[in-house]
Amino acid sequence: MNRHLIAAADLSRDDALLILDTAEELARMSDRPIKKLPTLRGRTVVNLFFEDSTRTRISFEAAAKRLSADVINFSAKGSSVAKGESLKDTALTLEAMGADAVVIRHDASGAPHRLAGWIRGHVINAGDGMHEHPTQALLDAFTIRRRLGGGRSGAGGLDGVRVTIVGDVLHSRVARSNIALLNILGAGVTLVAPPTLLPIAVDGWSCEVSYDLDAVLPKSDVIMMLRVQRERMTAAYFPSVREYSRRYGLDAGRMAMLPEHAIVMHPGPMNRGVEIAAEVADSPRSTIVEQVANGVSVRMAVLYLLLGGAELTGEPR
Ligand code: NCD
């Protein structure tokens, strides 16, 4: 494993499988009545959030606390960042306070990479601009593996699993991380989006592209819906929300076109009625709530592996 987790694309297949297998072990422990493990006692994890977040921040906090680490939550709003303090000075302040790991979310792509050059602690990217969100891809892979039982090779990866990612790919770090990790794990990826919401460089990505959702649905084991990220849109990317939903939204009629075993995913937060109908989001095929629960196990695994805590039994390593 690298010292930091900046991008899913940096992971080897063995690293990714180690994280997923460790998360599996930790998830089993989380089913016990007492969820807390002493593994990271005395370590400090800082959550450094420059962008809004509900599930990712809380998930990292829950993960660190279940491993008995001390957690400091920092959000840019209400801090000296509002007075113009730079990322570097903020980072050095955290370092001086003894952070062993810094979980960072930032609107600038590359911020976690810069941070890793300034501090001694481990850096975990919790989403940087339109670049990457590696723990989301890991929890998505974990969820797919749990629901569909792994890929055809049976070697713990996702070999041969067909994943369709639909919607605002252009602004999505979730899509970028997922494409990278799904490729590493052997799954096949198809993107479906309006041409205006695909990056120009998409031709060089290792995935297929389609503009016809209905044609792709029957060939998908997993359908991953992306949020339309209006806060990142600088122009009009589609004629109207209604038009977008009609062509690219997942409603009950479309869900019926999926194979029987297929699952529906969404990283959240959802725009119900835009990219996903409420009845689809709340259906038994949807893994949206499971993804949140799995996120805690996966983030525990990442913290555990990077910080090299005591053995899972509680004995020091
Ligand atoms: C995503 C993010 O922030 O990149 N959400 C998340 O972490 N669960 C996706 C999004 O905001 O649409």
Side-chain angles (χ1 to χ4, degrees), residues 46 48 72 74 89-99 102 115 119:
V46 174
L48 184 58
I72 298 174
F74 170 99
D89 289 326
T90 306
L92 294 178
T93 304
L94 298 171
E95 170 107 286
M97 290 178 189
V102 177
L115 184 66
I119 64 169

Side-chain angles (χ1 to χ4, degrees), residues 51-53 55-56 105 126-127 129 133 136 171-174 226-229 231-232 266-269 299:
E51 259 189 17
D52 296 342
S53 172
R55 64 214 92 222
T56 305
R105 168 167 288 195
H133 190 357
Q136 179 70 43
H171 300 106
S172 180
R173 52 201 178 201
V174 173
L226 298 173
R227 183 173 66 90
V228 175
Q229 300 197 22
E231 79 279 19
R232 293 191 210 278
H266 193 303
R299 288 171 177 126

Side-chain angles (χ1 to χ4, degrees), residues 62-301:
K65 285 183 170 166
R66 280 195 199 165
L67 294 171
S68 303
D70 294 320
V71 181
I72 298 174
N73 285 316
F74 170 99
S75 80
K77 279 191 198 116
S79 76
S80 288
V81 172
K83 297 181 184 169
E85 185 165 44
S86 69
L87 175 62
K88 183 168 184 177
D89 289 326
T90 306
L92 294 178
T93 304
L94 298 171
E95 170 107 286
M97 290 178 189
D100 295 296
V102 177
V103 177
I104 176 171
R105 168 167 288 195
H106 202 286
D107 56 2
S109 303
H113 177 76
R114 296 290 285 157
L115 184 66
W118 293 325
I119 64 169
R120 280 189 301 272
H122 302 269
V123 174
I124 301 171
N125 181 5
D128 61 330
M130 303 191 306
H131 175 227
E132 275 239 24
H133 190 357
T135 58
Q136 179 70 43
L138 286 160
L139 77 88
D140 289 339
F142 182 86
T143 305
I144 297 171
R145 206 169 76 154
R146 275 202 147 182
R147 273 282 190 123
L148 301 181
R152 291 195 192 112
S153 74
L158 297 175
D159 301 286
V161 175
R162 298 162 303 174
V163 182
T164 301
I165 303 178
V166 186
D168 186 357
V169 176
L170 178 65
H171 300 106
S172 180
R173 52 201 178 201
V174 173
R176 285 172 181 76
S177 286
N178 260 298
I179 294 165
L181 186 64
L182 289 166
N183 272 297
I184 291 166
L185 293 172
V189 181
T190 303
L191 304 178
V192 181
T196 49
L197 288 177
L198 284 172
I200 293 166
V202 77
D203 292 342
W205 291 7
S206 37
C207 54
E208 292 186 14
V209 174
S210 165
Y211 303 103
D212 183 356
L213 182 54
D214 292 347
V216 177
L217 288 171
K219 296 180 275 182
S220 306
D221 302 307
V222 175
I223 182 127
M224 192 180 287
M225 305 306 296
L226 298 173
R227 183 173 66 90
V228 175
Q229 300 197 22
R230 272 178 270 200
E231 79 279 19
R232 293 191 210 278
M233 293 189 181
T234 49
Y237 289 85
F238 45 81
S240 70
V241 170
R242 228 175 115 195
E243 171 78 7
Y244 179 87
S245 314
R246 199 176 60 73
R247 292 212 43 187
Y248 299 100
L250 190 63
D251 59 12
R254 285 212 165 106
M255 187 168 66
M257 296 166 73
L258 287 165
E260 206 156 337
H261 66 272
I263 56 171
V264 175
M265 308 181 76
H266 193 303
M270 285 182 271
N271 292 309
R272 282 175 184 254
V274 181
E275 70 268 1
I276 189 164
E279 56 195 325
V280 174
D282 299 331
S283 84
R285 281 172 170 234
S286 146
T287 61
I288 298 167
V289 178
E290 266 164 71
Q291 284 170 265
V292 176
N294 291 340
V296 178
S297 306
V298 164
R299 288 171 177 126
M300 283 172 81

